[in-house]
Amino acid sequence: MSGHSWSRDAGWLLFGQDTDGDENVKLYAVDTSSGEQRCLTPFDGTRAAVVRIGRATPDLILISLNRRDPRHADLYTLELSTGRLELVQQNPGFTSFIVDDDYRVRFAVGRTPAGGRELLAPDGASGWTVVSVVEPDDARTTAWSHLDHSGNVLYALDSRGRDTTALVATELATGRATVLGADARADVTGMITDIDTHRPVAYWTHHERPTLHVIDETVCNDVAFLNARGIGDWVIGSRTLDDRLWLVGAATDTTPGVTWLYDRAAKTLDRLFVHRPELMELPLARMQSTEVRARDGLPLVCYLTLPRAADAGEPLRATAPRPMVLLVHGGPWDRDRFGFNPMHQWLASRGYAVLNVNFRSSTGFGKHFVNAGDGQWGRRMNDDLDDAVDWAIAAGIADPQRIAIVGGSYGGYAVLSGLTRSPGRYACGVDIFGPSNLETLLMAIPAHWEHERRMLYRAVGDPTTPEGRADLRARSPLHAAGVIADPLMIVQGANDPRVPPAESDRMVEQLVARGIPVTYLFFKDEGHGFSREPNRLTLNAMMEAFLARHLGGGLEPFEPGDFRGHAMEIRQGESLTAAA
């Protein structure tokens, strides 16, 4: 399931669901009175998404659907009671639209030929008129957000003329822009808006830790009240139409998520449920944050979790060097964050130090930081990981002979790149649906990513020129497979539309042909990620056994029949159930 939402009158629960991870999402509705479930977009090979749920029309929502052209999603109104669709706006090639409360299209967002962004307004004479342009250097850190209720003010997260993203309000009649909030160290990443006017009243930034900044007195008391309750970092999940009741999700680094009911008028906070109650009474390990300097001086925000028995009680100090797992995030236009992290807790409970690194290309730290990764896949992006590992070794945290590198998607590429760049650096690696060949990866971009093609070429490399192809080949682990000297596990989903199975198949073929041991796990009903619990449990068990074999950490014994319903095939290598 890819997200859910309520209709305005709470009569319908809406959710999206693809087929075995193929990312062709159909939209479903569940009648909350009868429990009846209906598919609202029964079209194979299409992607549907909820765009807006209007307050004035509880039975009518706005959705996007790429049924006409797989590359571009058109806008439709959808009548929930009947399933009737009506075209609102055909998409001639834009990435998205900005609509008002009445579902009228006010702006479109497109890509420039160079990989920037542009904002366009409808023009009765010529179709569309460009009203604002974002150059490529700002394209990953600038995005138009929404209109206020009056339709006269446009809000954006904007890095133009600055490094970090600011929250900016622009009066459409005059063009006057006002900065509502900014932080010199980190981008504005989200906001709380007034439920009636849609005016931002607070905004979030996240450097080492998340911070909520209040900009409107209407929520000052609410923020102060919730911050004083000791519930950890919190966000608003949903609100009643009169904005009196908030559902608040909160967690700390040592407690799993809790959902609270906050009554703004009565100033009461009631715990509704704990997401993982079996973990509440367990002694979990704390997460610590720090900045590590890359070799060229770039500051890298990192997160470290130590096993409780190895935590010296001082900042970033271990009682003795530990086996360590370096977890590399995907994207790469994403980031690691402070807070409750199940992977950290699981691995720490098995005796490992766990390290996350926000390497160049990670988001949230300004445009200079994210753009510093352009053209650096397999180069300085990997150097950043190495520099953070060197820091952990020098600090007495990591045993240099027992370090694993683990990652999914881009993180999987970083695993393969790390093992080919520096054989012997890591004791082992786990690549989860990571690309092995950058040239074929870029040539196999899914249709619905077409509008991002130029941006991807700018960031990764251009496969349309001889020079670009040669550079991509030089940074593709597939062509250096023969130098790998460390144990490797490769994990792949059969229906992955972003990193096709051929990426992993060819890498395994190269390793087997050279007599290099590799374990290849193939999941027949997954895509670019793992959504089915039996598959996730099976993968985690295999990973745990693999890490125990090569790093010496703890292992919970298991047998193949322990995870009924999984769809894993071991296409290369042996079962790890007996690993010690």
Side-chain angles (χ1 to χ4, degrees), residues 327-348:
L327 291 178
V328 188
H329 70 69
W333 303 288
D334 197 352
R335 62 160 294 172
D336 289 309
R337 298 167 176 81
F338 182 86
F340 184 79
N341 188 311
M343 287 286 286
H344 276 237
Q345 296 297 338
W346 167 48
L347 293 169

Side-chain angles (χ1 to χ4, degrees), residues 283-310:
L284 300 179
R286 64 172 176 152
M287 176 182 281
Q288 303 179 69
S289 61
T290 190
E291 269 192 359
V292 173
R293 290 283 168 176
R295 64 193 67 181
D296 63 356
L298 202 66
L300 312 173
V301 171
C302 299
Y303 298 105
L304 172 72
T305 298
L306 290 167
R308 284 172 56 88

Side-chain angles (χ1 to χ4, degrees), residues 308-570:
R308 284 172 56 88
D311 190 336
E314 303 173 55
L316 307 167
R317 292 290 182 269
T319 55
R322 304 293 308 169
M324 188 177 80
V325 177
L326 172 65
L327 291 178
V328 188
H329 70 69
W333 303 288
D334 197 352
R335 62 160 294 172
D336 289 309
R337 298 167 176 81
F338 182 86
F340 184 79
N341 188 311
M343 287 286 286
H344 276 237
Q345 296 297 338
W346 167 48
L347 293 169
S349 74
R350 300 307 192 246
Y352 303 114
V354 189
L355 182 66
N356 286 135
V357 183
N358 283 302
F359 47 88
R360 67 195 69 212
S361 273
S362 300
T363 54
F365 304 99
K367 66 186 179 188
H368 172 74
F369 191 89
V370 72
N371 291 335
D374 285 357
Q376 297 303 316
W377 286 44
R379 293 187 177 121
R380 288 187 174 183
M381 290 164 72
N382 272 84
D383 290 344
D384 291 346
L385 301 176
D386 288 342
D387 293 344
V389 168
D390 286 340
W391 164 83
I393 293 171
I397 292 167
D399 177 348
Q401 303 304 314
R402 294 191 293 166
I403 300 174
I405 179 170
V406 176
S409 193
Y410 169 81
Y413 166 82
V415 170
L416 298 177
S417 181
L419 297 185
T420 55
R421 277 170 40 113
S422 305
R425 167 74 164 175
Y426 297 100
C428 62
V430 180
D431 153 36
I432 305 170
F433 41 85
S436 63
N437 186 336
L438 297 182
E439 184 179 355
T440 56
L441 172 75
L442 291 172
M443 296 305 288
I445 292 173
H448 58 275
W449 280 17
E450 183 60 36
H451 54 271
E452 301 294 336
R453 182 180 294 275
R454 182 49 55 186
M455 183 272 287
L456 288 170
Y457 287 2
R458 170 186 168 90
V460 186
D462 189 344
T464 65
T465 68
E467 298 81 10
R469 288 193 294 273
D471 183 55
L472 291 168
R473 182 181 180 89
R475 292 181 286 129
S476 294
L478 176 69
H479 304 301
V483 306
I484 290 179
D486 311 299
L488 174 61
M489 173 181 284
I490 293 178
V491 183
Q492 178 68 48
N495 303 307
D496 192 335
R498 306 186 192 190
V499 181
E503 292 285 324
S504 294
D505 292 346
R506 292 191 63 198
M507 188 70 186
V508 171
E509 289 170 4
Q510 291 291 317
L511 295 171
V512 171
R514 290 167 169 78
I516 300 169
V518 59
T519 299
Y520 185 23
L521 309 181
F522 192 84
F523 289 81
K524 296 180 291 184
D525 58 359
E526 297 285 4
H528 197 70
F530 289 87
S531 57
R532 296 188 60 245
E533 184 175 6
N535 290 338
R536 289 197 301 271
L537 290 173
T538 304
L539 171 61
N540 287 350
M542 295 288 284
M543 281 179 55
E544 182 175 297
F546 183 77
L547 294 174
R549 172 173 293 181
H550 300 293
L551 298 186
L555 170 65
E556 180 179 347
F558 67 97
E559 296 297 333
D562 290 348
F563 310 112
R564 294 181 180 178
H566 75 78
M568 182 189 75
E569 298 177 358
I570 302 176

Side-chain angles (χ1 to χ4, degrees), residues 12 113 132 135 188 208 214 233 320 349 373 375 400-401 412 451 518 542 570:
W12 304 90
S132 185
E135 297 301 328
V188 175
E208 288 190 29
V214 175
D233 297 316
S349 74
Q401 303 304 314
H451 54 271
V518 59
M542 295 288 284
I570 302 176

Side-chain angles (χ1 to χ4, degrees), residues 152-177:
N152 296 324
V153 180
L154 178 63
Y155 299 101
L157 302 180
D158 199 328
S159 66
R160 287 174 291 183
R162 55 188 303 118
D163 182 39
T164 56
T165 293
L167 176 57
V168 177
T170 300
E171 296 178 5
L172 298 179
T174 65
R176 186 170 70 92

